[in-house]
Amino acid sequence: MPAPAPIARHTIAVLVDNEPGVLARVIGLFSGRGYNIESLTVAEVNAAEKLSRITIVTSGTPMVIEQIKAQLARLVPVHKISDLTTAGPHVERELALVKVRGGGEKRVEALRIADIFRARALDSTPESFIFEIVGDAGKLDAFIALMAGLGLVDVSRTGVVAIARGPEPL
Amino acid sequence: MAKDRMSGAEIVLQALKDQGVSHIFGYPGGAVLPIYDALFGQNDVQHILVRQEGGAVHAAEGYARSTGKVGVVLVTSGPGVTNSVTGLTDALMDSIPLVCITGQVPTHLIGNDAFQECDTTGITRPCTKHNYLVKNVDDLARVLHEAFHVARSGRPGPVLVDLPKDIQIAIGSYIPPARVVHKSYKPRLKGDPVQIKRAVEILAQAKRPLIYAGGGVVNSGPAAAQLLAQFARVSGFPVTLTLMGLGAFPASDPRFLGMLGMHGTYEANLAMHGCDAMIAIGSRFDDRITGKLAAFSPHSRKIHIDVDPSSINKNVPVEVGIVGDVAHVLEDLIKFWKSTQAKPDAKALKAWWGQIDGWRARDCLRYQNSETIIKPQYAIQRLYELTKGRDDVFVTTEVGQHQMWAAQFFKFEKPNHWLTSGGLGTMGYGLPAAMGVQIAHPKALVVDIAGEASILMNIQEMSTIAQYRLPVKVFLINNQYMGMVRQWQELIHGGRYSESYMDSLPDFVKLAESFGAVGLRATKPSEVDGVIKAMIECPKAVIADIMVDPKENCFPMIPSGAAHNEMLLGPADKREQPISEDGMVLV
Ligand SMILES: Cc1cc2nc3c(=O)[nH]c(=O)nc-3n(C[C@H](O)[C@H](O)[C@H](O)COP(=O)(O)OP(=O)(O)OC[C@H]3O[C@@H](n4cnc5c(N)ncnc54)[C@H](O)[C@@H]3O)c2cc1C
Ligand SMILES: Cc1ncc(C[n+]2csc(CCOP(=O)(O)OP(=O)(O)O)c2C)c(N)n1
Ligand SMILES: [Mg+2]
């Protein structure tokens, strides 16, 4: 038996017509075919041409990733697809809002760590903070893990947005 | 009112006319009454009133597959839509171009659980190539033309247009088809010359080559089948076809090895197992073909031509993938083959043919005939022999053993004459599909080779057949069992025939008569020819009830989970090991 193919994480950018149902098509494709979605973000990026950009983080074997791209390309309202992970260097960012509750030492410690991670306090009450943190998903994971011991009560994350480095558009 | 101003319903009719549609299959209801009103008293588009919406979709599939045109369906909202879902899924799996227009509750009621409302675009999103909900009458003409374009181009498939009732009544502007230039949807037709060149290099070096062609050749059109024949001729390579591809290469050609796959021939499957280079042409490496993936064609370099990039490397990784339309790619490939004067090793090819002829000599489709009981294979063989002089014979099938025997024993020389539900395997497909074929080819001999269980799933269409005086012939292979289910229960589940006996069957002769058709019956082998001849000569619809051996099994068979070289050739073939657990879970 050949060794099982390695599973890798890919960030895929998809340019679609911003029309009703387009997100359902993309999500339905993933659930219907059993692909994995780690995160998915979508927003209109070109109002004049009514185009939205979807950023999907998924994982799979090389054959599955190729299928995912081919299946996405098959959707009629899809204009362009780029596998940023294989296309070259790119930047990825995600934003999280992190609510921490507590007082005393833990409160001080939370602020100190937030400072190290360059997280900003957006809201504060005598017994809580809301931090805003931006970075790649790994940085957010690390920050949230540290906050878990310091009174973490709520997290909201945007999911990853990404863009290729250099002068070229998608 | 200006000439291009009209109601939504009139826009629908005008668009159908401008798309060259002469027949549509449908069933009315509240949410499509304005369109039925527009149909009234006009002669450009003939509406065929089916008896269940499922029948309409299969009929449109039959119409489409036998003509190469887009089949058109018109149904009402809610239950009209849900009844159509099976047919749409069938068309999606088998790449059949359809446009299905569905009525919807008026826009202001959408989402209110209104009477006969359902989320049509939601339900049909995964079973259509694309779908639309039209909320503005001025979009309607463009959407309809686009729907036809998407349905017929690239990898064909069903496209649905959901049309709220208020949009059918509203007045809007009509635009003619012109050339639809879609913003994002642009299927690729020409293959990449670099890949074509690599393909030719691999094929020219092959010692044991095989052409494995499928339904994509039929989809591509008659020119593709001719080019396939030409390539087989210039290369001298053997050809095998999938179930969906039958007819894409002449069955009488000595280079034809028959169908491959689960119930394919010994020679085709062993050639697939033993080849050192294989070119897949419009075929999609379905699990019925590959059997156990890890053991599939283990020694071959693989090339795949397909218009749908997602078909390439889906199940089986290939060395060279060529995205493009079969006819376009084959034309370039043959040109390149000729210009490079590619010459495969003649000695090796001769040895390969020698090996193939050895496999052929096993005569794998041989069966034990009987003097007393009609063998299903014999019945189909006789049907073929007694009709093979004509070039206007179309065969549809239902799903089951009879379908496989039809594939094995009926020979097709041309594409578009064999219609079967391959991907979804929809029982109840054959009768309405035959109806659609007969509408498109009024003078042709259209035979549904049927099973008694399957035909009952859409038997109501006998009434449609009566209304339009369609001389459709049902050749009923009546084994009183869901034979295919019984066969698996015999081979895999210890002969426990759980719920596969067809109790309380109707008297099919009387059933035919009650629908104004002719009923015939054969119970002995000696009666088969007479019944077939009477059936063919009869100007009316016929159900020929052929009472066959209820215990016959369909061979060859590659049991699920097995490899091509582990095929069962006949009832005497004992498997050394019971079917593996992995195999048991497969369908
Ligand atoms: C009971 C039962 C048993 C079966 N047993 C068998 C069996 O033994 N053997 C067998 O072969 N099948 C069998 N089938 C059928 C099987 O399930 C599949 O439907 C069939 O094998 C698929 O055929 P295909 O590969 O030709 O693909 P199709 O479904 O016909 O697909 C066509 C392919 O060609 C591509 N294509 C379409 N248009 C073009 C174009 N213009 N240019 C290029 N490419 C194009 C499409 O993208 C697609 O990949 C069985 C079905 C049933 C119900
Ligand atoms: C709608 C549907 N339901 C169930 C099946 C599963 N199935 C496949 S073949 C078969 C039996 C078909 O019996 P019949 O039409 O008599 O054909 P035979 O195999 O006896 O020739 C069944 C139930 C199916 N293919 N389609
Ligand atoms: Mg039966």
Side-chain angles (χ1 to χ4, degrees):
Chain A
M1 278 296 272
I7 291 179
R9 176 179 180 278
H10 286 245
T11 304
I12 297 171
V14 192
L15 209 57
V16 299
D17 284 324
N18 181 13
E19 61 181 34
V22 67
L23 191 57
R25 283 181 213 284
V26 171
I27 293 174
L29 175 70
F30 276 72
S31 63
R33 295 188 181 265
Y35 306 142
N36 155 48
I37 302 184
E38 277 176 28
S39 91
L40 185 146
T41 66
V42 56
E44 188 170 80
V45 290
N46 181 337
E49 292 180 42
K50 288 193 150 184
L51 293 176
S52 291
R53 181 170 173 132
I54 303 178
T55 309
I56 305 168
V57 180
T58 183
S59 56
T61 61
M63 223 163 136
V64 167
I65 297 292
E66 189 186 331
Q67 262 301 300
I68 290 175
K69 289 185 271 182
Q71 292 291 351
L72 284 168
R74 218 154 82 111
L75 299 177
V76 169
V78 166
H79 287 249
K80 253 187 203 159
I81 293 172
S82 174
D83 182 348
L84 297 171
T85 303
T86 55
H90 67 281
V91 288
E92 285 189 15
R93 283 293 176 274
E94 184 175 359
L95 184 148
L97 300 177
V98 179
K99 185 180 286 186
V100 183
R101 178 181 194 161
E105 265 313 295
K106 288 197 170 164
R107 193 170 158 83
V108 178
E109 179 67 359
L111 263 184
R112 199 180 64 82
I113 291 173
D115 192 43
I116 297 172
F117 277 79
R118 294 179 210 278
R120 286 200 302 147
L122 297 185
D123 177 65
S124 115
T125 71
E127 48 165 350
S128 71
F129 284 118
I130 296 173
F131 294 115
E132 172 205 73
I133 176 167
V134 178
D136 62 28
K139 172 176 166 184
L140 269 55
D141 289 344
F143 180 71
I144 292 163
L146 287 170
M147 289 299 143
L150 300 173
L152 178 74
V153 288
D154 210 358
V155 180
S156 178
R157 296 174 67 151
T158 58
V160 171
V161 292
I163 204 158
R165 287 187 188 274
E168 297 306 322
L170 180 67
Chain B
M1 202 155 44
K3 217 172 121 259
D4 66 344
R5 301 286 292 167
M6 52 184 99
S7 74
E10 287 162 340
I11 289 177
V12 170
L13 261 283
Q14 190 61 45
L16 292 178
K17 266 189 262 181
D18 287 352
Q19 289 289 341
V21 175
S22 54
H23 293 88
I24 66 176
F25 301 88
Y27 206 93
V32 276
L33 284 179
I35 301 177
Y36 275 85
D37 208 24
L39 276 167
F40 192 74
Q42 55 82 49
N43 289 318
D44 298 302
V45 178
Q46 195 195 346
H47 177 270
I48 307 295
L49 177 66
V50 298
R51 297 301 182 265
Q52 209 260 26
E53 290 84 353
V57 188
H58 294 318
E61 287 187 275
Y63 186 93
R65 187 70 164 184
S66 67
T67 58
K69 295 199 245 172
V70 177
V72 182
V73 177
L74 173 62
V75 297
T76 194
S77 65
V81 169
T82 52
N83 273 347
S84 307
V85 164
T86 300
L88 292 171
T89 311
D90 192 271
L92 184 72
M93 293 287 268
D94 285 346
S95 304
I96 309 292
L98 298 183
V99 167
C100 179
I101 299 168
T102 57
Q104 181 57 282
V105 303
T107 31
H108 69 275
L109 287 182
I110 290 180
N112 277 9
D113 297 327
F115 176 63
Q116 296 199 324
E117 181 188 359
C118 70
D119 176 5
T120 300
T121 48
I123 290 172
T124 60
R125 205 172 281 131
C127 64
T128 52
K129 179 171 174 184
H130 193 53
N131 62 18
Y132 302 85
L133 169 62
V134 181
K135 285 188 160 175
N136 179 344
V137 67
D138 287 316
D139 291 336
L140 179 55
R142 175 187 56 80
V143 165
L144 285 167
H145 296 315
E146 205 175 285
F148 275 87
H149 174 61
V150 171
R152 71 164 77 91
S153 61
R155 178 180 187 165
V159 177
L160 181 142
V161 180
D162 198 24
L163 207 46
K165 196 170 180 181
D166 54 326
I167 306 296
Q168 299 169 33
I169 295 167
I171 304 295
S173 310
Y174 179 76
I175 50 160
R179 288 195 58 80
V180 194
V181 192
H182 194 273
K183 282 179 293 178
S184 53
Y185 173 79
K186 293 191 184 75
R188 173 171 189 159
L189 296 179
K190 291 280 275 182
D192 176 353
V194 177
Q195 302 305 324
I196 293 177
K197 187 161 165 266
R198 284 180 64 204
V200 168
E201 279 162 14
I202 292 174
L203 293 171
Q205 286 169 24
K207 295 191 183 329
R208 300 187 308 279
L210 181 64
I211 299 171
Y212 147 52
V217 181
V218 183
N219 288 134
S220 180
Q226 271 159 24
L227 287 160
L228 173 62
Q230 194 188 342
F231 181 59
R233 201 164 53 236
V234 297
S235 65
F237 291 176
V239 180
T240 180
L241 294 172
T242 65
L243 183 75
M244 293 307 293
L246 294 179
F249 188 74
S252 60
D253 191 301
R255 293 177 198 83
F256 185 51
L257 308 187
M259 180 174 84
L260 83 167
M262 183 174 269
H263 291 289
T265 66
Y266 189 64
E267 51 271 31
N269 284 325
L270 286 199
M272 183 53 101
H273 192 79
C275 63
D276 71 345
M278 171 248 283
I279 177 164
I281 306 179
S283 46
R284 57 182 174 82
F285 295 91
D286 183 78
D287 51 65
R288 251 30 9 187
I289 300 299
T290 58
K292 185 168 155 189
L293 269 176
F296 173 69
S297 195
H299 315 293
S300 59
R301 300 179 71 180
K302 298 177 180 70
I303 301 157
H304 188 178
I305 304 172
D306 204 296
V307 77
D308 178 357
S310 80
S311 279
I312 297 175
N313 290 327
K314 178 192 271 172
N315 305 322
V316 172
V318 297
E319 187 174 335
V320 178
I322 305 171
V323 177
D325 165 63
V326 168
H328 285 80
V329 175
L330 276 185
E331 194 180 357
D332 289 347
L333 191 142
I334 293 170
K335 261 192 215 142
F336 195 75
W337 180 276
K338 288 183 171 164
S339 73
T340 58
Q341 303 189 315
K343 277 246 176 325
D345 180 345
K347 230 175 95 193
L349 203 54
K350 193 156 171 252
W352 176 230
W353 272 111
Q355 207 174 351
I356 290 171
D357 287 338
W359 293 325
R360 268 182 174 159
R362 291 289 293 265
D363 195 9
C364 69
L365 296 181
R366 193 184 44 211
Y367 58 93
Q368 193 72 48
N369 208 355
S370 158
E371 300 270 298
T372 50
I373 186 158
I374 304 172
K375 290 288 176 176
Q377 301 94 321
Y378 172 75
I380 294 171
Q381 228 170 2
R382 292 311 301 158
L383 177 67
Y384 170 63
E385 291 297 333
L386 293 172
T387 56
K388 75 175 175 188
R390 313 174 51 145
D391 67 351
D392 64 342
V393 182
F394 292 83
V395 174
T396 71
T397 74
E398 306 289 338
V399 171
Q401 291 179 319
H402 64 277
Q403 176 190 27
M404 293 297 108
W405 284 315
Q408 293 172 338
F409 289 93
F410 213 98
K411 314 277 182 221
F412 297 91
E413 301 296 311
K414 296 185 291 195
N416 304 97
H417 289 243
W418 159 252
L419 299 94
T420 195
S421 169
L424 197 63
T426 311
M427 293 170 69
Y429 164 88
L431 184 64
M435 199 164 91
V437 176
Q438 193 85 71
I439 293 282
H441 309 272
K443 297 234 149 55
L445 175 63
V446 184
V447 185
D448 173 23
I449 298 183
E452 79 297 329
S454 294
I455 195 133
L456 289 179
M457 289 214 178
N458 270 324
I459 194 71
Q460 78 286 347
E461 297 309 327
M462 286 301 293
S463 172
T464 312
I465 285 170
Q467 179 177 349
Y468 296 94
R469 298 198 167 77
L470 303 173
V472 166
K473 317 297 185 206
V474 176
F475 194 66
L476 190 65
I477 303 296
N478 187 344
N479 55 7
Q480 302 167 68
Y481 270 105
M482 299 173 194
M484 188 55 94
V485 174
R486 197 198 55 75
Q487 173 164 350
W488 281 51
Q489 290 173 334
E490 179 181 326
L491 298 177
I492 305 173
H493 293 278
R496 293 178 294 279
Y497 300 124
S498 179
E499 305 292 329
S500 54
Y501 180 65
M502 289 302 288
D503 207 324
S504 310
L505 283 168
D507 176 334
F508 282 100
V509 171
K510 286 197 189 138
L511 184 78
E513 286 162 0
S514 76
F515 281 113
V518 172
L520 302 170
R521 179 171 291 132
T523 53
K524 298 198 291 270
S526 57
E527 294 166 351
V528 170
D529 276 22
V531 165
I532 292 173
K533 284 182 193 148
M535 175 180 93
I536 299 169
E537 274 154 27
C538 180
K540 297 171 81 174
V542 175
I543 296 181
D545 188 15
I546 313 293
M547 302 297 298
V548 301
D549 185 350
K551 293 275 155 60
E552 190 69 15
N553 283 336
C554 181
F555 291 108
M557 177 178 183
I558 303 177
S560 38
H564 284 175
N565 54 353
E566 300 171 325
M567 128 183 275
L568 306 183
L569 277 176
D573 235 5
K574 292 261 179 332
R575 273 182 66 84
E576 269 132 47
Q577 289 150 351
I579 307 258
S580 68
E581 248 178 69
D582 286 351
M584 286 274 279
V585 302
L586 299 174
V587 286

PDB file of all heavy atoms in Angstrom, chain B residues 451-453 477-483, ligand 3:
ATOM      1  N   GLY B 451     -38.107  -3.800 -16.817  1.00  0.00           N
ATOM      2  CA  GLY B 451     -38.320  -4.800 -15.770  1.00  0.00           C
ATOM      3  C   GLY B 451     -39.701  -4.563 -15.190  1.00  0.00           C
ATOM      4  O   GLY B 451     -40.194  -3.430 -15.199  1.00  0.00           O
ATOM      5  N   GLU B 452     -40.313  -5.615 -14.695  1.00  0.00           N
ATOM      6  CA  GLU B 452     -41.703  -5.468 -14.230  1.00  0.00           C
ATOM      7  C   GLU B 452     -41.776  -4.609 -12.972  1.00  0.00           C
ATOM      8  O   GLU B 452     -42.777  -3.947 -12.732  1.00  0.00           O
ATOM      9  CB  GLU B 452     -42.353  -6.847 -14.028  1.00  0.00           C
ATOM     10  CG  GLU B 452     -41.994  -7.582 -12.736  1.00  0.00           C
ATOM     11  CD  GLU B 452     -40.529  -7.924 -12.612  1.00  0.00           C
ATOM     12  OE1 GLU B 452     -39.883  -8.146 -13.653  1.00  0.00           O
ATOM     13  OE2 GLU B 452     -40.002  -7.938 -11.485  1.00  0.00           O
ATOM     14  N   ALA B 453     -40.706  -4.579 -12.184  1.00  0.00           N
ATOM     15  CA  ALA B 453     -40.747  -3.734 -10.990  1.00  0.00           C
ATOM     16  C   ALA B 453     -40.568  -2.269 -11.385  1.00  0.00           C
ATOM     17  O   ALA B 453     -41.337  -1.398 -10.970  1.00  0.00           O
ATOM     18  CB  ALA B 453     -39.658  -4.155 -10.002  1.00  0.00           C
ATOM     19  N   ILE B 477     -39.163  -7.593 -19.564  1.00  0.00           N
ATOM     20  CA  ILE B 477     -38.443  -8.782 -19.106  1.00  0.00           C
ATOM     21  C   ILE B 477     -38.989  -9.100 -17.715  1.00  0.00           C
ATOM     22  O   ILE B 477     -38.492  -8.593 -16.704  1.00  0.00           O
ATOM     23  CB  ILE B 477     -36.914  -8.502 -19.080  1.00  0.00           C
ATOM     24  CG1 ILE B 477     -36.417  -8.067 -20.458  1.00  0.00           C
ATOM     25  CG2 ILE B 477     -36.143  -9.719 -18.583  1.00  0.00           C
ATOM     26  CD1 ILE B 477     -36.546  -9.132 -21.542  1.00  0.00           C
ATOM     27  N   ASN B 478     -40.041  -9.923 -17.704  1.00  0.00           N
ATOM     28  CA  ASN B 478     -40.794 -10.133 -16.466  1.00  0.00           C
ATOM     29  C   ASN B 478     -40.267 -11.369 -15.733  1.00  0.00           C
ATOM     30  O   ASN B 478     -40.578 -12.494 -16.069  1.00  0.00           O
ATOM     31  CB  ASN B 478     -42.274 -10.292 -16.816  1.00  0.00           C
ATOM     32  CG  ASN B 478     -43.147 -10.340 -15.573  1.00  0.00           C
ATOM     33  OD1 ASN B 478     -42.643 -10.544 -14.452  1.00  0.00           O
ATOM     34  ND2 ASN B 478     -44.434 -10.163 -15.743  1.00  0.00           N
ATOM     35  N   ASN B 479     -39.430 -11.112 -14.733  1.00  0.00           N
ATOM     36  CA  ASN B 479     -38.894 -12.226 -13.931  1.00  0.00           C
ATOM     37  C   ASN B 479     -39.541 -12.280 -12.547  1.00  0.00           C
ATOM     38  O   ASN B 479     -39.094 -13.011 -11.677  1.00  0.00           O
ATOM     39  CB  ASN B 479     -37.369 -12.124 -13.814  1.00  0.00           C
ATOM     40  CG  ASN B 479     -36.931 -10.776 -13.263  1.00  0.00           C
ATOM     41  OD1 ASN B 479     -37.758  -9.967 -12.854  1.00  0.00           O
ATOM     42  ND2 ASN B 479     -35.626 -10.541 -13.241  1.00  0.00           N
ATOM     43  N   GLN B 480     -40.539 -11.462 -12.354  1.00  0.00           N
ATOM     44  CA  GLN B 480     -41.316 -11.438 -11.104  1.00  0.00           C
ATOM     45  C   GLN B 480     -40.469 -11.125  -9.873  1.00  0.00           C
ATOM     46  O   GLN B 480     -40.874 -11.385  -8.739  1.00  0.00           O
ATOM     47  CB  GLN B 480     -42.052 -12.765 -10.894  1.00  0.00           C
ATOM     48  CG  GLN B 480     -42.984 -13.094 -12.038  1.00  0.00           C
ATOM     49  CD  GLN B 480     -43.445 -14.522 -11.985  1.00  0.00           C
ATOM     50  OE1 GLN B 480     -44.176 -14.888 -11.083  1.00  0.00           O
ATOM     51  NE2 GLN B 480     -43.025 -15.333 -12.942  1.00  0.00           N
ATOM     52  N   TYR B 481     -39.313 -10.616 -10.123  1.00  0.00           N
ATOM     53  CA  TYR B 481     -38.422 -10.229  -9.017  1.00  0.00           C
ATOM     54  C   TYR B 481     -37.804  -8.879  -9.331  1.00  0.00           C
ATOM     55  O   TYR B 481     -37.608  -8.534 -10.489  1.00  0.00           O
ATOM     56  CB  TYR B 481     -37.249 -11.211  -8.895  1.00  0.00           C
ATOM     57  CG  TYR B 481     -37.512 -12.388  -7.983  1.00  0.00           C
ATOM     58  CD1 TYR B 481     -37.770 -13.643  -8.528  1.00  0.00           C
ATOM     59  CD2 TYR B 481     -37.475 -12.246  -6.596  1.00  0.00           C
ATOM     60  CE1 TYR B 481     -37.985 -14.737  -7.703  1.00  0.00           C
ATOM     61  CE2 TYR B 481     -37.687 -13.336  -5.774  1.00  0.00           C
ATOM     62  CZ  TYR B 481     -37.933 -14.571  -6.321  1.00  0.00           C
ATOM     63  OH  TYR B 481     -38.145 -15.646  -5.512  1.00  0.00           O
ATOM     64  N   MET B 482     -37.428  -8.186  -8.292  1.00  0.00           N
ATOM     65  CA  MET B 482     -36.441  -7.123  -8.469  1.00  0.00           C
ATOM     66  C   MET B 482     -35.144  -7.880  -8.662  1.00  0.00           C
ATOM     67  O   MET B 482     -34.383  -8.124  -7.720  1.00  0.00           O
ATOM     68  CB  MET B 482     -36.345  -6.252  -7.225  1.00  0.00           C
ATOM     69  CG  MET B 482     -37.633  -5.558  -6.875  1.00  0.00           C
ATOM     70  SD  MET B 482     -37.421  -4.744  -5.281  1.00  0.00           S
ATOM     71  CE  MET B 482     -39.117  -4.404  -4.906  1.00  0.00           C
ATOM     72  N   GLY B 483     -34.941  -8.281  -9.912  1.00  0.00           N
ATOM     73  CA  GLY B 483     -33.910  -9.266 -10.189  1.00  0.00           C
ATOM     74  C   GLY B 483     -32.526  -8.853  -9.707  1.00  0.00           C
ATOM     75  O   GLY B 483     -31.765  -9.657  -9.162  1.00  0.00           O
TER      76      GLY B 483
HETATM   77 MG    MG C   3     -37.743  -7.961 -12.531  1.00  0.00          MG
END
